[in-house]
């Protein structure tokens, strides 16, 4: 891995409230990656140069990973996470040239994208830390645990079944979707003991992310982040921990480090944006997962999944409040 010096983020005024009428900008998390996801974006001005810098920071050839590598090659955590963040950052920077979001929010590793776009970290520092995060989480995977998504069912019954089978809620996604983690045998037991009206589907991940199984990754990531100066956000930034707007850079970074072993409360992020009257939502590429959750939770909301450069004008309009 090639180490690069940490460029310190410039101090900035904290942003605690959203501009009226502006869309929220959402960054997807692991599982959203797909082969060739960077190919449509390489013609953006400066894209290859920016990706070269981010590849150095991450220790991964992001252009190759995002254009020619197979689904199997981009599946490992230490590849998927920096590839996702780099793709979303590349497009997010383009959109922020002409508009400001009502909120920035990211799911799991996407919260690092949101933090960088909010000005907390510069892009190279974000990629360096995300790469460290991916390696540390991969090291915690024992080959005997994983994650499943529970779709539908009554919320109380779902949580009872999860606890009864020795599993933990990892991602509270809202819209009738809960991701759980734990030992393989417990995940198989939940499939046999699934709550009425629900579906249980195993996810292609190597471990029980966002549970205490990842506790070993926290001190590793904390050490990697030591000495990194985190600036206060310049756009309202929501935390996965509780859906709160976090206004100081050091607190954002503390939460990002702790996040790997704690549950993602995307449902609370959605609730915070709903309470604030957010009129529209724009999901950065590789888009689809978060857009689907918003559409199910808020069927009347304006939602745009940015899938290619042709979507940028519409996304910019939403960020501009029109």
């Amino acid at each position: 891995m090639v180490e690069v010096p940490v460029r310190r983020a410039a101090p900035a005024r904290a942003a605690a409230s959203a501009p009226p009428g502006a869309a929220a900008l959402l960054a997807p998390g692991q599982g959203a990656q797909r082969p060739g996801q960077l190919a449509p974006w390489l013609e953006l001005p400066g894209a290859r140069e920016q990706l070269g810098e981010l590849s150095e920071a991450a220790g991964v050839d992001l252009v190759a990973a995002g254009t020619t590598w197979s689904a199997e090659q981009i599946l490992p955590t230490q590849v998927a996470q920096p590839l996702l963040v780099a793709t979303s950052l590349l497009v997010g920077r383009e959109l922020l040239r002409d508009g400001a979001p009502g909120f920035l929010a990211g799911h799991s590793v996407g919260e690092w994208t949101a933090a960088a776009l909010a000005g907390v970290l510069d892009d190279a520092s974000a990629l360096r830390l995300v790469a460290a995060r991916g390696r540390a989480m991969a090291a915690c995977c024992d080959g005997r645990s994983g994650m499943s998504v529970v779709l539908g069912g009554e919320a109380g019954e779902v949580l009872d079944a999860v606890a009864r089978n020795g599993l933990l809620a990892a991602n509270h996604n809202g819209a009738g979707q809960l991701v759980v983690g734990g030992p393989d045998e417990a995940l198989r037991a939940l499939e046999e003991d699934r709550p009425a009206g629900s579906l249980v589907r195993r996810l292609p991940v190597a471990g029980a992310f966002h549970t205490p199984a990842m506790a070993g990754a926290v001190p590793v990531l904390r050490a990697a982040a030591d000495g990194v100066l985190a600036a206060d956000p310049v756009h309202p930034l929501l935390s996965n921990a509780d859906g709160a707007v976090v206004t100081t850079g050091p607190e954002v970074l503390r939460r990002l480090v702790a996040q790997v072993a704690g549950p993602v409360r995307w449902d609370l992020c959605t609730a915070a944006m709903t309470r604030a009257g957010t009129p529209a939502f724009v999901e950065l590429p590789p888009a689809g997962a978060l857009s689907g959750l918003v559409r199910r939770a808020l069927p009347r909301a304006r939602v745009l999944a940015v899938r290619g450069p042709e979507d940028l004008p519409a996304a910019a309009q939403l960020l501009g409040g029109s």
Side-chain angles (χ1 to χ4, degrees), residues 23 34 56 65 68 93 99:
R34 59 180 66 98
E56 271 197 285
T68 63
R93 290 288 177 214

Side-chain angles (χ1 to χ4, degrees), residues 249-309:
E251 177 63 8
V252 171
L253 191 55
R254 186 195 69 78
R255 286 171 176 244
L256 287 170
V257 169
Q259 181 220 60
V260 297
V264 171
R265 294 306 305 260
W266 187 252
D267 56 338
L268 299 181
C269 291
T270 302
M273 291 183 280
T274 303
R275 286 194 303 271
T278 304
F281 300 82
V282 175
E283 184 184 3
L284 293 167
L290 298 182
S291 301
L293 288 173
V294 172
R295 288 189 179 104
R296 287 192 290 276
L298 305 169
R300 295 186 179 181
R302 299 169 68 187
V303 182
L304 175 62
V306 178
R307 302 184 189 277

